Amino acid sequence: INLTTAGTVTIDVTNFLSVGQVQLYYQTIANLVENIADQPSGDYHISTPANAGRYYIRVVAPDGHPSGNGNYSLEVNYP
């Protein structure tokens, strides 16, 4: 996602694995901003202040695990 100004980014991933991870990176994969892992409900929520620039969202299932419990949904909100 490309943010034109600073603001709060909210990411919701629902109906995903209880052993997965949702990660937010700034500019490159070396700059991890936020990571949330292993939510028993399979629902993940990140809300974090963010500077302008390019961000990457990564939804990760462990190696050898099916890619999820069916279709999951990813929603991003930014002012």
Side-chain angles (χ1 to χ4, degrees):
I1 55 175
N2 288 314
L3 307 183
T4 55
T5 60
T8 298
V9 174
T10 302
I11 301 166
D12 289 300
V13 175
T14 56
N15 193 39
F16 193 56
L17 296 168
S18 62
V19 294
Q21 294 183 56
V22 177
Q23 302 165 332
L24 178 66
Y25 294 91
Y26 180 63
Q27 303 289 5
T28 71
I29 200 151
N31 294 321
L32 180 65
V33 174
E34 189 89 25
N35 178 64
I36 187 169
D38 303 340
Q39 298 300 298
S41 64
D43 296 340
Y44 296 76
H45 176 80
I46 293 174
S47 185
T48 190
N51 295 321
R54 179 170 287 187
Y55 288 80
Y56 297 91
I57 301 165
R58 186 173 178 204
V59 180
V60 181
D63 286 344
H65 199 286
S67 60
N69 53 0
N71 294 329
Y72 65 87
S73 92
L74 169 69
E75 182 177 319
V76 178
N77 290 294
Y78 167 72

